[in-house]
Each structure stands twice: as structure tokens, then as C-alpha cells.
Amino acid sequence: SSSSSSSKNKKQASETSDAVQQRDERSGRYDEITDKWIPEKPVSVIEGASYGVVGLLGLGVAAAAVWFGANELLVTPREQKVFNAAMTKLEDDPRIRISLGAPLTGYGSESRSRSARHRIAHQIVIDGRGRERVRVQFYARGARGSATVHAEAGTNAETGELEFSYIIADVAGAHGTRIQVVSPQQQPQRLVAL
């Protein structure tokens, strides 16, 4: 009986190896560890190159997203710097505190949209001396009222600090008033040689 069982095992083993050989001849080889067929050529050169290009494009998109996200979060735009400095000057001015009340908040537009309220209307201009100036318009609101604020500032080349040309608050209400927190500076007149 042991000889019949050993001959049965040999017969089954030879049948299995014959089946594997037939499959190997068709399309690659059979891996018994993973129970999967492994093709002779996993991918062609063109397929491999196209997968590489798709991978590089994906990495490029991810890098761009990280760059713009970091730029948005870490770099303060010029108009935001002017807005912050103007708000500080408004909070320090007693006329503004009397007219608008405290606490004072500033925002970009009269809108219900949060993103629109965060956007500060601005314009970048070049003055007569060739220096870059930033003009902003925003809204300030306090416990007693609100105002539209107009300001212009540029960076001092020697100190690197913001210098305001003007900050004007137009207070809304029945008796709308204009408060000049920083008065407009007179532009120097140029001498023209005849």
C-alpha cells in the first residue's frame, strides 16, 4: 500500500510539473510563493516612461500646492502690512475712538462673504521720486459707527519702516465727517530749468 501511495504522489507531482511547464510556455512563469503568474516582461519601455512622467507630474503638482500654501501662510502681502499699520494708527487716534467707539475692527469690503471681507482693495503706484507706494481702502467699525478708510504708504529706504502719506477716515452717519489721521503731505514741486 505504501508503494501505491508513493507512486500516486509521484504521478501527481509529475502532472503538476507538466501543467506548470505548459503554463510557463504560454506566458511567463508561475510563482508558487505568491500564487501569481509573473510575465516575462513586466512593462515595456514606453509604459515605464509614461508611468515615470505621470509620477513626475504628480510630484510637480504637489510641490506647487505646498509652495503656494506656504507662500499664502508665511508671506504677508504689502497691502496687508499697510492695513495693519493703518489700523494701529486708527486705534491710537482719540478722534476715531470717540467717533467709532471701541473695540475697532477692520475689514476689506461690506460683504457677507468671509473671503471678500479679508481681501483689502489696493493699488500700487509709483510716486514722483520713483518710489513704490501702496494705496488701500478698507472699512473700520466700532461700537458707535463705521468709516471708510483711505490710506497710502511706502517703505522708507533708510529705515525700512512704513511711512504714510495720508490716512483719511470718512465716518458714516447722519453727520458724516472726514477725519485726517495722517494729513496728506504736500508733494515737493520740481524746479524746471528754462
Side-chain angles (χ1 to χ4, degrees), residues 38-184:
I38 299 176
E40 292 285 332
K41 279 181 157 180
V43 289
S44 68
V45 173
I46 294 173
E47 277 182 303
S50 66
Y51 288 140
V53 168
V54 169
L56 287 175
L57 284 174
L59 286 174
V61 168
V66 167
W67 171 259
F68 287 118
N71 217 7
E72 186 70 26
L73 294 173
L74 301 177
V75 177
T76 305
R78 291 178 284 202
E79 65 271 11
Q80 190 67 42
K81 290 178 184 175
V82 172
F83 167 79
N84 291 339
M87 280 299 295
T88 301
K89 290 205 179 273
L90 288 174
E91 290 167 349
D92 293 343
D93 192 288
R95 298 170 296 170
I96 295 291
R97 277 186 272 145
I98 291 169
S99 297
L100 301 182
L104 196 62
T105 59
Y107 49 93
S109 71
E110 295 277 354
S111 171
R112 292 182 182 210
S113 168
R114 182 177 289 207
S115 64
R117 291 173 67 85
H118 285 281
R119 255 182 264 122
I120 306 298
H122 70 285
Q123 183 179 21
I124 297 173
V125 295
I126 306 296
D127 68 3
R129 297 179 191 163
R131 296 178 302 178
E132 191 174 89
R133 314 282 296 167
V134 179
R135 291 181 183 161
V136 296
Q137 176 184 328
F138 61 92
Y139 299 90
R141 181 177 304 278
R144 289 192 213 114
S146 63
T148 303
V149 180
H150 307 274
E152 180 180 315
T155 305
N156 185 331
E158 293 148 8
T159 63
E161 294 183 16
L162 282 176
E163 286 183 345
F164 282 95
S165 299
Y166 60 86
I167 300 175
I168 299 171
D170 292 325
V171 179
H175 303 291
T177 59
R178 175 170 273 196
I179 300 172
Q180 293 183 356
V181 178
V182 175
S183 297

